[in-house]
């Protein structure tokens, strides 16, 4: 099954730039569907990035983050070929995780 | 229905009358697509001397610097990425009978977006890519997809992606019916309709780069080269069919059904006058 | 034709996938990556802060009694006019040292706090993301550095819907 997580992690030797796009509705709970019924809130709450056994970035999100959320950051010491572990959990308890190789 | 037809015919007659006096349309008495396309391009390049011809395919983003910057940020990881991947998988997956989309298209469907729509001389009608995809499904015993979004958007996104950068290359064969389809598409484009009494051209020829309410209007030149698109307004993907039907709704007109003859002819006309501009789809739009 | 129906098959897939993971946990078969990575974070989701309607309450819930002082060392990049309030690309960067978190708040949103990013040692104090803005509003970035709070604020105009594209 295809992952919900798309990652681009590139190292220039000094820093590793990480970009992630995640497939998720990020419903706020303020929008109605075609039948006029409220679409219940459904959004990622936490997204974590781990490199070498250590968290390098933690995103805490509310429903104000856009649908199919995107985030970009950079950290030091990542090398080409290293693993970067990424995981998210949403307000309904659903999760997904992936491991990307730094390019 | 008869009344609608009569009105349609009357406004078409008016459009003809106007064209006869327009200086650019020197061949208004005979249909001359080559002259049309040249005049169309010249109109836009004269109106926007700073925009290069191939940049028109970027729609409103070619019209405003602030928008262009937001777009570049989005393109770092474009929102159509998931549809593109889904389309690639769907395209490769065989039908129940073992055949696949590749069997229905020239060059196995890769790098051919720029040749659609085309005029089918056997059938005497315009065949769009969306129509060809659903016919392919039906010929192989599969149910057709909705024309406006989801699967159809994903499939056309992938087919456009494999054709990126190729110049739009629409042919009008030497067949009076092809010229007629082209001309009907052109008439549809310039005919006012809906409660707002707008034609396609009102917004996308007369006013591109300007705001309607708060949004920046896209130029008609190259507008289909970017299809299908991920629109933030839709928070999802939409096809050429979706673009046409929602445009008609927004001017408070009654949309036709996707792939009705009028829309097919319109797509034929609008694609032809954008010949030479690169395919840029799938695109992202506000 | 039902073009307002927003469900895409991918969303269904997502739900199914979530159910699958839950089922695995129920059977005692832990999908290894998920809990490990989440446990490594070792940080609680600031649930209360994301429940607050207004900005001041959200800041209080997130940072306790501390208040932020405006600083020109906090740089924010946001459009003058958002092309669409559903997707506003926004980024923040700072020249401050000892940064531990960067947060984004939209004062006019139903829930003011949009995102809060924890910046461990060795991660650069810079983040880009895409956020929703309900209407024209102030966007505030708060940087936590050396235990103190610094902020930058900018108004972003938001316009919705219509016949663009």
């Amino acid at each position: 099954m295809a992952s919900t997580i798309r990652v681009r992690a590139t190292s220039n030797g000094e820093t590793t730039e990480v970009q992630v796009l995640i497939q998720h509705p990020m419903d706020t709970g303020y929008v109605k569907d075609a039948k006029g019924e409220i679409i219940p809130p459904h959004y990622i709450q936490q997204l974590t990035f781990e490199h070498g056994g250590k968290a390098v970035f933690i995103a805490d999100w509310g429903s104000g983050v856009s649908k199919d959320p995107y985030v970009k950051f950079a950290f030091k010491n990542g090398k080409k070929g290293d693993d970067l572990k990424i995981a998210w959990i949403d307000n309904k308890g659903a999760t997904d995780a992936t491991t990307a190789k730094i390019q | 229905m008869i009344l609608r037809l009569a009105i349609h015919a009357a406004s078409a007659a008016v459009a003809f009358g106007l064209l006869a006096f327009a200086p650019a349309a020197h061949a208004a008495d005979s249909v001359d697509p080559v002259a049309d396309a040249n005049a169309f391009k010249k109109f836009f390049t004269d109106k926007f001397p700073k925009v290069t011809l191939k940049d028109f395919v970027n729609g409103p983003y070619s019209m405003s610097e602030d928008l262009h910057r937001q777009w570049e940020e989005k393109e770092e990881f474009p929102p159509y990425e998931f549809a593109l991947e889904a389309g690639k998988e769907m395209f490769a997956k065989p039908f129940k009978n073992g055949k696949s989309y590749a069997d229905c298209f020239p060059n196995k469907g890769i790098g051919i977006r720029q040749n659609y729509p085309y005029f089918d001389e056997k059938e005497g009608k315009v065949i769009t890519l969306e129509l060809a995809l659903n016919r392919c499904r039906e010929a192989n015993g599969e149910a057709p997809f909705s024309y406006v979004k989801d699967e159809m958007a994903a499939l056309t996104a992938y087919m456009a992606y494999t054709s990126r950068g190729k110049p739009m290359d629409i042919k009008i064969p030497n067949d009076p019916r092809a010229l007629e389809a082209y001309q009907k598409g052109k008439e549809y484009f310039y005919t006012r309709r809906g409660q707002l009494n707008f034609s396609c051209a009102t917004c996308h020829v007369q006013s591109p780069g300007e705001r309607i309410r708060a949004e920046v209007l896209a130029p008609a030149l190259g507008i289909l080269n970017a299809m299908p698109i991920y629109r933030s307004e839709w928070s999802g993907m939409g096809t050429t069919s979706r673009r046409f039907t929602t445009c008609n709704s927004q001017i408070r007109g009654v949309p036709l059904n996707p792939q009705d003859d009028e829309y097919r002819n319109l797509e034929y006309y609008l694609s032809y006058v954008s010949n030479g501009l690169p395919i840029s789809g799938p695109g992202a739009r506000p | 034709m039902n073009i307002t129906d927003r469900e895409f098959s991918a969303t269904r897939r997502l739900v199914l996938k979530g159910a699958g993971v839950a089922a695995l946990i129920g059977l005692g078969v832990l999908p290894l990556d998920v809990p490990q990575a989440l446990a490594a974070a070792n940080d609680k989701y600031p649930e209360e802060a994301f429940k607050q309607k207004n900005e001041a309450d959200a800041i209080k819930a997130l940072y306790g009694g501390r208040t932020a002082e405006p600083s020109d060392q906090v740089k924010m990049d946001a459009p003058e006019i958002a092309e669409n309030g559903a997707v506003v690309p926004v980024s923040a960067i700072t020249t401050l040292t000892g940064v531990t978190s960067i947060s984004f708040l939209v004062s006019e949103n139903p829930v003011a706090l949009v995102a809060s990013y924890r910046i461990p040692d060795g991660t650069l104090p810079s983040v880009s993301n895409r956020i929703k803005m309900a209407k024209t509003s102030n966007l505030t970035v708060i940087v936590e550095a050396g235990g103190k709070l610094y902020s930058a604020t900018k108004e972003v105009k938001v316009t919705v819907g219509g016949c663009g594209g």
Side-chain angles (χ1 to χ4, degrees), chain B residues 94-150:
Chain B
F95 301 127
K96 285 193 272 311
N97 67 4
K99 298 214 171 184
S100 71
Y101 292 109
D103 297 315
C104 298
F105 291 96
N107 197 39
K108 297 191 183 341
I110 303 302
I112 58 161
R113 161 69 185 91
Q114 69 282 0
N115 300 323
Y116 286 80
Y118 71 93
F119 190 82
D120 186 326
E121 292 189 74
K122 257 184 267 165
E123 202 177 319
K125 286 197 176 192
V126 173
I127 309 295
T128 67
L129 185 60
E130 293 166 22
L131 187 67
L133 277 163
N134 262 352
R135 284 191 175 178
C136 173
R137 292 184 57 77
E138 289 179 295
N140 288 290
E142 304 280 335
F145 288 137
S146 153
Y147 277 110
V148 289
K149 55 178 188 162
D150 295 352

Side-chain angles (χ1 to χ4, degrees), chain B residues 80-243:
Chain B
Y80 50 73
E81 182 116 343
F82 292 109
L84 190 54
E85 271 183 47
K88 188 177 181 181
E89 276 175 33
M90 286 165 63
F91 196 86
K93 196 180 163 204
F95 301 127
K96 285 193 272 311
N97 67 4
K99 298 214 171 184
S100 71
Y101 292 109
D103 297 315
C104 298
F105 291 96
N107 197 39
K108 297 191 183 341
I110 303 302
I112 58 161
R113 161 69 185 91
Q114 69 282 0
N115 300 323
Y116 286 80
Y118 71 93
F119 190 82
D120 186 326
E121 292 189 74
K122 257 184 267 165
E123 202 177 319
K125 286 197 176 192
V126 173
I127 309 295
T128 67
L129 185 60
E130 293 166 22
L131 187 67
L133 277 163
N134 262 352
R135 284 191 175 178
C136 173
R137 292 184 57 77
E138 289 179 295
N140 288 290
E142 304 280 335
F145 288 137
S146 153
Y147 277 110
V148 289
K149 55 178 188 162
D150 295 352
E151 292 93 344
M152 185 58 80
L155 280 171
T156 51
Y158 173 65
M159 293 182 81
Y161 188 76
T162 66
S163 318
R164 269 195 177 177
K166 298 197 177 202
M168 186 73 95
D169 188 15
I170 306 303
K171 304 255 192 317
I172 300 180
N174 190 12
D175 180 329
R177 294 171 304 170
L179 265 190
E180 194 192 343
Y182 167 89
Q183 186 64 14
K184 281 185 172 163
K186 180 177 168 183
E187 282 163 24
Y188 191 90
F189 184 79
Y190 287 101
T191 303
R192 289 176 178 270
R193 59 176 61 78
Q195 287 181 331
L196 297 185
N197 200 28
F198 279 16
S199 69
C200 307
T202 312
C203 286
H204 300 287
V205 175
Q206 292 177 352
S207 320
E210 291 178 38
R211 289 182 181 273
I212 185 156
R213 297 222 174 160
E215 288 192 79
V216 176
L217 288 160
L221 180 62
I223 198 167
L224 297 182
N225 298 47
M227 295 291 161
I229 48 175
Y230 184 101
R231 282 201 77 174
S232 304
E233 188 195 329
W234 296 335
S235 54
M237 297 290 296
T239 57
T240 300
S241 288
R242 187 170 187 180
R243 180 66 279 199

Side-chain angles (χ1 to χ4, degrees), chain B residues 60-61 66-67 69-70 73-74 77-79 148-151 204 211-212 214-218 223 231-233 235 242-243 245-246 250 258 285-286, chain C residues 1-9 12-13 77-84 86-91 128-130 154 159-165:
Chain B
Y61 299 121
D66 191 37
L67 276 182
R69 232 161 42 90
Q70 294 179 57
E73 295 223 348
K74 279 203 308 187
F77 225 135
V148 289
K149 55 178 188 162
D150 295 352
E151 292 93 344
H204 300 287
R211 289 182 181 273
I212 185 156
E215 288 192 79
V216 176
L217 288 160
I223 198 167
R231 282 201 77 174
S232 304
E233 188 195 329
S235 54
R242 187 170 187 180
R243 180 66 279 199
T245 51
T246 52
Q250 282 165 334
R285 293 289 180 269
Chain C
M1 194 178 51
N2 186 8
I3 51 178
T4 46
D5 178 7
R6 296 162 88 213
E7 194 196 42
F8 182 33
S9 53
R12 271 198 306 276
R13 226 169 43 217
D77 191 7
E80 298 289 331
I81 302 174
E83 61 162 35
N84 188 303
V87 189
V88 187
V90 174
S91 60
S128 303
N129 59 180
R130 296 170 190 162
K154 179 183 177 177
T159 53
V160 202
C163 333

